[in-house]
Amino acid sequence: MDRGRVLSERSPRDSTDHPSGAVPPSRYESQKRRDWNTFGQFLRNQQPPVGLADCSSNQVLDFLRYLDQFGKTKVHIHGCIFYGQPDPPAPCSCPLRQAWGSLDALIGRLRAAYEENGGPPERNPFASGAIRIYLREVKERQARARGIPYKKKKRGGGSGSCSGSGTPHDGANSSIVRFS
């Protein structure tokens, strides 16, 4: 290790920081690996267990629905007095769900992991039309429940507020259950 270097000059991924000399995976790569392992465990827990080679968009949809129970985003139901209100003045008993943005990012990571783990792109269940339709429906349902239309993110510079959701973060840090 070069003791003459200033800390600010060193990359956080500098291999001299790790005794094995290996560069640690990026945050994205680590999350992708955790998501892939979680999905694999979900498939093994099915009755009967489903192998990755036999996985279809049906299992992916089941996985997304399963994850909903661990969400942190309040999604008002049609009968709720706060349905369509962006900032409800009081609590209600509506369910917590996975935020659309979290599900969209999850599918993107799993789509990449599928192919990186040897899955043929033409059979990628994460890239199927059924998954795209499901994500679109979740996005629209959550937008209606909050009374806020989603706006396309603008590329490039800007103020940093792209989604127009009125919330600083739409649940991207919501927890995903890990199996041990």
Side-chain angles (χ1 to χ4, degrees):
M1 188 155 142
D2 183 1
R3 298 199 185 275
R5 286 174 41 182
V6 178
L7 282 177
S8 63
E9 292 176 356
R10 296 176 59 201
S11 164
R13 298 167 51 86
D14 192 335
S15 63
T16 59
D17 290 342
H18 303 282
S20 68
V23 176
S26 69
R27 183 175 168 201
Y28 170 80
E29 291 296 329
S30 295
Q31 185 66 53
K32 183 169 55 172
R33 185 178 63 247
R34 283 192 302 271
D35 293 339
W36 182 248
N37 291 339
T38 302
F39 181 69
Q41 185 66 48
F42 174 81
L43 292 178
R44 287 188 294 279
N45 288 340
Q46 299 302 295
Q47 293 300 326
V50 178
L52 284 169
D54 301 321
C55 175
S56 72
S57 60
N58 291 332
Q59 283 82 27
V60 175
L61 290 171
D62 288 344
F63 181 62
L64 295 176
R65 291 182 191 112
Y66 163 77
L67 289 178
D68 242 359
Q69 66 183 311
F70 306 107
K72 297 178 181 177
T73 300
K74 178 75 73 169
V75 179
H76 300 289
I77 58 175
H78 273 287
C80 178
I81 60 172
F82 301 128
Y83 182 83
Q85 292 185 25
D87 298 310
C92 67
S93 62
C94 290
L96 295 174
R97 303 274 190 221
Q98 289 288 342
W100 165 79
S102 297
L103 294 176
D104 188 49
L106 171 68
I107 290 298
R109 290 189 299 269
L110 289 172
R111 184 177 182 171
Y114 178 85
E115 294 177 17
E116 288 172 9
N117 285 283
E122 62 278 1
R123 291 198 58 228
N124 191 331
F126 303 100
S128 79
I131 303 304
R132 286 192 300 274
I133 290 168
Y134 177 80
L135 289 174
R136 184 174 58 236
E137 289 172 353
V138 167
K139 179 180 178 180
E140 291 169 357
R141 186 178 325 116
Q142 290 184 3
R144 282 192 308 270
R146 294 170 50 221
I148 300 172
Y150 274 94
K151 295 182 176 122
K152 271 198 161 185
K153 289 185 178 183
K154 293 183 181 179
R155 300 278 177 178
S159 65
S161 174
C162 308
S163 67
S165 67
T167 57
H169 207 6
D170 214 13
N173 288 332
S174 60
S175 61
I176 295 179
V177 168
R178 307 286 178 234
F179 298 95
S180 5

